[in-house]
């Protein structure tokens, strides 16, 4: 008699079962990428969401296990840990206003998760994104290629959406790249934005491009103001799922990712969004683009803002 070979499916833990976390769980399961552990401090909520998602498996035609829990022990041996936990933005609240509360939440989540999944790759979604990614990197003690933030993928998708709407073209034909912090000082690179290979500078005038850039910078705030009771979650979950997919399937996709820099772009000891190649080991390579003087100055200004907030967060945590 031949004994069956038991193979464990890859596991992705999502810390925070709010709108972003639960939607991301749905994306990962329905793409059939991995089993999902959905963790939250609210008793019963992740369990209920997991059961709801499990009951859709026969309809969505996937076989992934989805577990809801309040215990980090259930997250053990995860390949990827995604941290979405934290309070969301409210109308009139900037990402930086979230700093004090979310810093403590993210550090605790990172330390608890790494204790049970020492080989995991961490993706941070909690705002203010760049600062929270730095704190997670610091808290876990992991090498930089295993800790990253989801920011540029979302911001680039927003830029692409606004370009497609303006030109009335297929969104899939639009490609754009946004660097810098996930906030008002992000750096959309208009020169690198194209429609089926054609630079948008050939298709739109400078005033229109400037308007689309500004809308991209305020993309999250625009949704918060419209919804009033919460912020974006569909697009952030989709952006995070693209990163998870590239890592789990070793796709080596070139994506804008918030990462710890060690001299790239003239920046050191700061987390900021730059183009990175993502594969099974995490960040395989940081790509240094040629920037104009204006773009370089904008990136430096963005990084300085992040560095100031990192210092504030560290003071809060050490105070």
């Amino acid at each position: 008699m031949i004994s069956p070979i038991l193979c464990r499916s890859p596991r992705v833990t999502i810390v925070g079962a709010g709108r972003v976390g639960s939607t991301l769980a749905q994306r990962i399961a329905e793409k059939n990428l991995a089993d999902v552990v959905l963790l939250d401090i609210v008793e019963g909520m992740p369990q209920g969401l997991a059961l709801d998602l499990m009951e859709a498996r026969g309809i969505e035609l996937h076989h992934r296990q989805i577990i809801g829990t309040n215990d980090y022990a259930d997250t053990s041996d995860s390949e990827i840990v995604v941290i979405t936990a934290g309070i969301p933005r409210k109308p009139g609240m900037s990402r930086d206003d979230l700093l004090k509360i979310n810093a403590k939440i993210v550090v605790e989540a990172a330390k608890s998760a790494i204790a049970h999944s020492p080989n995991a790759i961490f993706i941070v979604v909690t705002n203010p994104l760049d600062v929270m990614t730095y704190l997670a990197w610091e808290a876990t003690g992991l090498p930089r290629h295993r800790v990253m933030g989801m920011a540029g993928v979302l911001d680039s998708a927003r830029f692409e959406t606004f370009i497609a709407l303006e030109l009335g073209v297929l969104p899939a034909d639009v490609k754009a790249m946004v660097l810098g912090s996930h906030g008002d000082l992000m750096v959309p690179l208009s020169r690198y934005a194209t429609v089926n290979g054609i630079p948008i500078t050939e298709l739109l005038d400078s005033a229109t491009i400037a308007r689309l850039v500004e809308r991209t910078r305020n993309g999250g705030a625009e949704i918060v103001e419209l919804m009033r009771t919460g912020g974006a979650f569909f697009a952030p979950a989709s952006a995070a799922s693209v990163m998870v997919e590239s890592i789990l399937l070793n796709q080596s996709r070139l994506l804008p990712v918030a990462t710890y820099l060690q001299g790239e772009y003239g920046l050191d000891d700061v987390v900021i969004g730059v183009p990175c190649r993502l594969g099974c080991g995490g960040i395989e390579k940081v790509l240094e683009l040629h920037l104009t003087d204006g773009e370089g100055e904008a990136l430096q200004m963005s990084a300085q803002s992040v560095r100031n907030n990192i210092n504030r967060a560290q003071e809060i945590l050490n105070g």
Side-chain angles (χ1 to χ4, degrees):
M1 181 177 179
I2 300 174
S3 299
I5 298 174
L6 299 178
C7 298
R8 188 182 74 84
S9 296
R11 172 179 286 184
V12 175
T13 284
I14 301 169
V15 182
R19 286 179 165 181
V20 174
S22 58
T23 306
L24 176 57
Q26 181 183 21
R27 296 271 194 270
I28 292 170
E30 292 181 359
K31 284 184 175 183
N32 216 19
L33 293 174
D35 293 342
V36 178
V37 180
L38 192 57
L39 183 144
D40 201 280
I41 61 172
V42 180
E43 293 186 7
M45 183 176 72
Q47 291 88 345
L49 289 168
L51 181 58
D52 194 12
L53 288 167
M54 286 282 284
E55 290 170 355
R57 291 193 306 172
I59 301 170
E60 298 298 337
L61 304 179
H62 71 84
H63 58 271
R64 294 301 176 182
Q65 296 292 323
I66 305 154
I67 300 169
T69 185
N70 311 111
D71 188 347
Y72 278 94
D74 294 326
T75 71
S76 62
D77 299 323
S78 295
E79 276 75 13
I80 298 175
V81 173
V82 185
I83 300 177
T84 71
I87 64 167
R89 282 200 295 172
K90 299 177 182 178
M93 179 185 288
S94 72
R95 290 184 178 92
D96 291 344
D97 291 334
L98 304 178
L99 187 64
K100 184 174 182 179
I101 296 172
N102 286 354
K104 295 178 180 178
I105 293 173
V106 167
V107 168
E108 181 179 345
K111 288 181 176 179
S112 298
I114 193 65
H116 294 280
S117 299
N119 297 315
I121 293 168
F122 281 69
I123 299 173
V124 180
V125 180
T126 306
N127 280 319
L129 189 283
D130 309 274
V131 180
M132 296 302 114
T133 304
Y134 185 99
L135 296 179
W137 166 77
E138 198 173 47
T140 57
L142 292 174
R144 67 169 182 164
H145 67 273
R146 287 175 53 194
V147 183
M148 66 198 74
M150 184 290 296
V153 177
L154 172 61
D155 296 328
S156 298
R158 285 172 171 162
F159 195 20
E160 291 166 355
T161 295
F162 301 145
I163 292 168
L165 289 172
E166 187 70 27
L167 291 170
V169 299
L170 188 70
D173 285 343
V174 183
K175 301 299 178 186
M177 181 72 66
V178 177
L179 308 188
S181 64
H182 186 49
D184 300 337
L185 295 177
M186 68 179 67
V187 186
L189 298 179
S190 302
R191 293 187 302 117
Y192 289 101
T194 62
V195 179
N196 221 2
I198 302 171
I200 64 168
T201 51
E202 298 292 319
L203 303 170
L204 297 168
D205 58 47
S206 58
T208 301
I209 292 173
R211 173 168 54 81
L212 298 181
V213 165
E214 190 61 24
R215 190 178 184 189
T216 300
R217 289 186 173 129
N218 295 312
E222 182 179 357
I223 292 172
V224 170
E225 290 298 327
L226 288 168
M227 292 178 65
R228 297 188 182 276
T229 57
F233 58 95
F234 288 125
S238 292
S241 75
V242 166
M243 296 171 67
V244 169
E245 185 175 21
S246 188
I247 293 168
L248 288 179
L249 301 185
N250 196 29
Q251 293 177 330
S252 295
R253 292 192 63 179
L254 188 64
L255 300 168
V257 171
T259 186
Y260 181 83
L261 296 184
Q262 295 176 308
E264 297 90 353
Y265 294 93
L267 298 169
D268 191 54
D269 191 33
V270 70
V271 166
I272 203 82
V274 294
C276 296
R277 194 175 69 209
L278 290 190
C280 62
I283 296 174
E284 299 175 337
K285 181 179 176 62
V286 175
L287 177 67
E288 289 194 71
L289 299 174
H290 171 71
L291 301 180
T292 65
D293 290 344
E295 291 164 347
E297 290 172 5
L299 188 62
Q300 292 285 335
M301 186 181 303
S302 186
Q304 186 57 53
S305 174
V306 172
R307 186 175 286 110
N308 291 341
N309 283 324
I310 288 172
N311 292 337
R312 285 176 52 208
Q314 290 173 326
E315 290 174 1
I316 290 169
L317 293 171
N318 296 328

